Amino acid sequence: MKIFIDTANIDMIKEVNSWGILDGVTTNPSLIAKEKTDLRTCVKKISEIVDGPISAEAISMDAEAMVKEGRSLSKIHPNINVKLPMCIEAMKATNVLASEGIAVNMTLIFSPQQALLAAKAGARYVSPFVGRLDDIGQVGSEMLAQIVAVFRNYDFDTEIIAASIRHPVHAFEAAALGCDIATIPYDVLKKMVAHPKTDEGIKLFLADHEKSKK
Ligand code: E4P
Protein backbone atom coordinates (compact mmCIF):
# COMPACT_ATOMS: atom_id res chain seq x y z
CA MET A 1 0.00 0.00 0.00
CA LYS A 2 1.28 3.45 -0.88
CA ILE A 3 1.39 5.92 1.98
CA PHE A 4 0.46 9.56 1.54
CA ILE A 5 0.56 12.15 4.28
CA ASP A 6 -2.63 14.13 4.83
CA THR A 7 -1.33 17.57 5.73
CA ALA A 8 -0.25 20.95 4.40
CA ASN A 9 2.44 21.31 7.08
CA ILE A 10 5.81 21.54 5.33
CA ASP A 11 7.89 20.47 8.36
CA MET A 12 5.81 17.32 8.84
CA ILE A 13 6.09 16.50 5.14
CA LYS A 14 9.88 16.95 5.24
CA GLU A 15 10.15 14.83 8.37
CA VAL A 16 8.08 11.90 7.06
CA ASN A 17 9.77 12.11 3.65
CA SER A 18 13.08 11.52 5.44
CA TRP A 19 11.72 8.20 6.81
CA GLY A 20 11.75 6.80 3.27
CA ILE A 21 8.10 5.73 3.31
CA LEU A 22 6.31 8.64 1.69
CA ASP A 23 4.64 8.18 -1.71
CA GLY A 24 2.51 11.32 -1.95
CA VAL A 25 0.59 14.10 -0.20
CA THR A 26 -3.05 15.12 0.09
CA THR A 27 -4.24 18.55 1.15
CA ASN A 28 -7.69 20.05 1.54
CA PRO A 29 -8.94 23.60 2.17
CA SER A 30 -9.15 23.02 5.94
CA LEU A 31 -5.55 21.74 6.11
CA ILE A 32 -4.34 24.70 4.01
CA ALA A 33 -6.21 27.18 6.26
CA LYS A 34 -4.68 25.56 9.37
CA GLU A 35 -1.18 26.39 8.06
CA LYS A 36 -2.20 29.99 7.25
CA THR A 37 -0.89 29.58 3.71
CA ASP A 38 -2.41 29.61 0.24
CA LEU A 39 -2.96 26.53 -1.87
CA ARG A 40 -0.71 27.41 -4.80
CA THR A 41 2.31 28.39 -2.68
CA CYS A 42 1.82 25.35 -0.48
CA VAL A 43 1.56 22.69 -3.20
CA LYS A 44 4.47 24.27 -5.08
CA LYS A 45 6.63 23.91 -1.94
CA ILE A 46 5.43 20.31 -1.45
CA SER A 47 6.32 19.45 -5.04
CA GLU A 48 9.91 20.51 -4.32
CA ILE A 49 10.09 18.02 -1.43
CA VAL A 50 8.05 14.96 -2.45
CA ASP A 51 8.39 13.07 -5.71
CA GLY A 52 4.86 11.67 -5.95
CA PRO A 53 1.22 12.64 -6.42
CA ILE A 54 0.05 15.77 -4.60
CA SER A 55 -3.67 16.57 -4.28
CA ALA A 56 -4.76 20.19 -4.57
CA GLU A 57 -8.46 20.77 -3.96
CA ALA A 58 -10.50 23.04 -6.22
CA ILE A 59 -13.15 25.22 -4.60
CA SER A 60 -15.31 25.93 -7.67
CA MET A 61 -18.79 24.46 -7.62
CA ASP A 62 -19.79 24.32 -11.29
CA ALA A 63 -18.23 22.09 -13.92
CA GLU A 64 -16.90 24.85 -16.17
CA ALA A 65 -15.18 26.64 -13.29
CA MET A 66 -13.86 23.32 -11.91
CA VAL A 67 -12.27 22.55 -15.27
CA LYS A 68 -10.69 26.02 -15.41
CA GLU A 69 -9.40 25.77 -11.85
CA GLY A 70 -8.22 22.19 -12.41
CA ARG A 71 -6.25 23.13 -15.52
CA SER A 72 -4.62 25.98 -13.66
CA LEU A 73 -3.75 23.85 -10.59
CA SER A 74 -2.32 21.09 -12.77
CA LYS A 75 0.11 23.59 -14.31
CA ILE A 76 1.84 24.18 -10.96
CA HIS A 77 3.69 20.84 -11.23
CA PRO A 78 3.22 17.60 -13.22
CA ASN A 79 2.64 15.68 -9.95
CA ILE A 80 -0.40 17.76 -8.99
CA ASN A 81 -3.79 16.07 -9.15
CA VAL A 82 -7.02 17.99 -8.82
CA LYS A 83 -9.26 17.14 -5.91
CA LEU A 84 -12.96 17.60 -6.63
CA PRO A 85 -15.85 16.96 -4.22
CA MET A 86 -18.18 14.18 -5.38
CA CYS A 87 -21.21 15.68 -7.15
CA ILE A 88 -22.67 15.79 -10.68
CA GLU A 89 -20.73 18.95 -11.59
CA ALA A 90 -17.49 17.29 -10.47
CA MET A 91 -18.26 14.23 -12.61
CA LYS A 92 -18.74 16.47 -15.66
CA ALA A 93 -15.47 18.27 -14.87
CA THR A 94 -13.66 14.95 -14.30
CA ASN A 95 -14.80 13.72 -17.69
CA VAL A 96 -13.18 16.78 -19.34
CA LEU A 97 -10.04 16.91 -17.18
CA ALA A 98 -9.37 13.18 -17.59
CA SER A 99 -9.66 13.50 -21.37
CA GLU A 100 -6.91 16.13 -21.17
CA GLY A 101 -4.70 13.82 -19.10
CA ILE A 102 -5.25 15.75 -15.85
CA ALA A 103 -5.63 13.41 -12.86
CA VAL A 104 -8.65 13.93 -10.61
CA ASN A 105 -8.95 12.76 -7.00
CA MET A 106 -12.68 12.53 -6.29
CA THR A 107 -12.99 13.38 -2.62
CA LEU A 108 -15.72 13.21 0.03
CA ILE A 109 -16.72 9.68 -1.05
CA PHE A 110 -19.02 7.96 1.45
CA SER A 111 -20.52 5.05 -0.51
CA PRO A 112 -19.55 2.40 -3.08
CA GLN A 113 -22.10 3.87 -5.49
CA GLN A 114 -20.33 7.24 -5.41
CA ALA A 115 -16.96 5.54 -5.91
CA LEU A 116 -18.30 3.54 -8.87
CA LEU A 117 -19.63 6.66 -10.61
CA ALA A 118 -16.46 8.65 -9.90
CA ALA A 119 -14.34 5.87 -11.43
CA LYS A 120 -16.59 5.65 -14.49
CA ALA A 121 -16.37 9.44 -14.95
CA GLY A 122 -12.59 9.03 -15.20
CA ALA A 123 -11.27 9.83 -11.72
CA ARG A 124 -7.67 8.71 -11.23
CA TYR A 125 -8.29 8.38 -7.48
CA VAL A 126 -11.31 8.11 -5.20
CA SER A 127 -11.04 9.15 -1.56
CA PRO A 128 -13.50 7.37 0.75
CA PHE A 129 -13.60 9.08 4.17
CA VAL A 130 -13.43 6.35 6.80
CA GLY A 131 -13.26 8.40 10.02
CA ARG A 132 -16.11 10.75 9.14
CA LEU A 133 -18.38 7.75 8.56
CA ASP A 134 -17.39 6.28 11.93
CA ASP A 135 -18.24 9.71 13.40
CA ILE A 136 -21.91 9.27 12.47
CA GLY A 137 -22.15 5.71 13.78
CA GLN A 138 -21.55 3.89 10.49
CA VAL A 139 -18.61 1.58 9.88
CA GLY A 140 -16.09 3.30 7.61
CA SER A 141 -14.08 0.14 6.98
CA GLU A 142 -17.19 -1.63 5.65
CA MET A 143 -17.57 1.07 3.01
CA LEU A 144 -13.88 0.62 2.12
CA ALA A 145 -14.38 -3.14 1.74
CA GLN A 146 -17.40 -2.56 -0.52
CA ILE A 147 -15.44 -0.18 -2.76
CA VAL A 148 -12.49 -2.59 -2.99
CA ALA A 149 -14.91 -5.40 -3.98
CA VAL A 150 -16.62 -3.33 -6.68
CA PHE A 151 -13.34 -2.10 -8.18
CA ARG A 152 -11.93 -5.64 -8.23
CA ASN A 153 -15.00 -6.89 -10.13
CA TYR A 154 -14.39 -4.46 -12.96
CA ASP A 155 -10.63 -3.98 -12.86
CA PHE A 156 -10.82 -0.18 -12.77
CA ASP A 157 -7.60 1.80 -13.13
CA THR A 158 -8.88 4.20 -10.46
CA GLU A 159 -6.89 3.93 -7.23
CA ILE A 160 -8.57 3.87 -3.83
CA ILE A 161 -7.16 6.34 -1.30
CA ALA A 162 -8.39 5.44 2.18
CA ALA A 163 -8.89 8.90 3.70
CA SER A 164 -10.04 10.43 6.96
CA ILE A 165 -7.76 7.99 8.78
CA ARG A 166 -7.93 8.74 12.50
CA HIS A 167 -5.86 5.98 14.13
CA PRO A 168 -3.49 3.07 13.34
CA VAL A 169 -6.36 0.54 13.14
CA HIS A 170 -7.83 2.48 10.20
CA ALA A 171 -4.43 2.28 8.46
CA PHE A 172 -4.24 -1.46 9.11
CA GLU A 173 -7.78 -2.01 7.83
CA ALA A 174 -6.99 -0.10 4.61
CA ALA A 175 -3.90 -2.27 4.03
CA ALA A 176 -5.67 -5.53 4.93
CA LEU A 177 -8.48 -4.74 2.49
CA GLY A 178 -5.99 -4.04 -0.29
CA CYS A 179 -6.57 -0.29 -0.73
CA ASP A 180 -3.99 1.15 -3.13
CA ILE A 181 -3.18 4.11 -0.90
CA ALA A 182 -3.91 5.43 2.59
CA THR A 183 -3.54 9.12 3.29
CA ILE A 184 -2.55 9.41 6.92
CA PRO A 185 -2.07 12.37 9.30
CA TYR A 186 1.36 12.89 10.90
CA ASP A 187 0.30 11.92 14.43
CA VAL A 188 -1.19 8.64 13.20
CA LEU A 189 1.99 7.83 11.23
CA LYS A 190 4.02 8.36 14.41
CA LYS A 191 1.65 6.08 16.35
CA MET A 192 2.11 3.41 13.64
CA VAL A 193 5.89 3.42 14.26
CA ALA A 194 5.63 3.00 18.01
CA HIS A 195 5.02 -0.06 20.15
CA PRO A 196 5.43 -0.19 23.96
CA LYS A 197 7.24 -3.56 23.72
CA THR A 198 9.71 -2.02 21.21
CA ASP A 199 10.42 0.86 23.63
CA GLU A 200 10.76 -1.58 26.51
CA GLY A 201 13.09 -3.79 24.45
CA ILE A 202 15.33 -0.86 23.44
CA LYS A 203 15.58 0.24 27.09
CA LEU A 204 16.49 -3.28 28.20
CA PHE A 205 19.14 -3.79 25.49
CA LEU A 206 20.76 -0.43 26.30
CA ALA A 207 20.75 -1.22 30.04
CA ASP A 208 22.30 -4.67 29.42
CA HIS A 209 24.91 -3.11 27.14
CA GLU A 210 25.86 -0.67 29.92
CA LYS A 211 26.10 -3.59 32.42
CA SER A 212 28.34 -5.60 30.08
CA LYS A 213 30.84 -2.70 29.93
CA LYS A 214 31.44 -2.92 33.71
C1 E4P B 1 -8.60 13.42 2.39
O1 E4P B 1 -7.89 13.59 1.41
C2 E4P B 1 -8.90 14.44 3.41
O2 E4P B 1 -7.93 15.44 3.34
C3 E4P B 1 -8.82 13.91 4.83
O3 E4P B 1 -8.41 12.58 4.88
C4 E4P B 1 -9.94 14.29 5.68
O4 E4P B 1 -9.74 13.78 6.98
P1 E4P B 1 -10.61 14.25 8.24
O5 E4P B 1 -11.95 13.64 8.15
O6 E4P B 1 -9.84 13.74 9.43
O7 E4P B 1 -10.67 15.76 8.16
Side-chain angles (χ1 to χ4, degrees), residues 65-115:
M66 282 175 177
V67 169
K68 216 170 139 203
E69 202 182 341
R71 284 180 184 141
S72 158
L73 288 170
S74 74
K75 286 195 183 100
I76 300 172
H77 191 277
N79 284 347
I80 302 284
N81 59 73
V82 182
K83 230 181 182 186
L84 297 176
M86 180 60 191
C87 60
I88 289 172
E89 291 302 299
M91 285 174 26
K92 292 179 192 169
T94 299
N95 185 30
V96 176
L97 291 169
S99 73
E100 295 175 7
I102 298 171
V104 170
N105 172 1
M106 199 74 94
T107 190
L108 290 166
I109 295 281
F110 290 94
S111 74
Q113 295 89 337
Q114 289 181 316

Side-chain angles (χ1 to χ4, degrees), residues 6 26-28 31 83 105 107 127 129 132 163-166 183:
D6 195 29
T26 52
T27 66
N28 66 39
L31 294 171
K83 230 181 182 186
N105 172 1
T107 190
S127 290
F129 277 38
R132 289 193 197 186
S164 188
I165 298 282
R166 301 276 172 75
T183 187

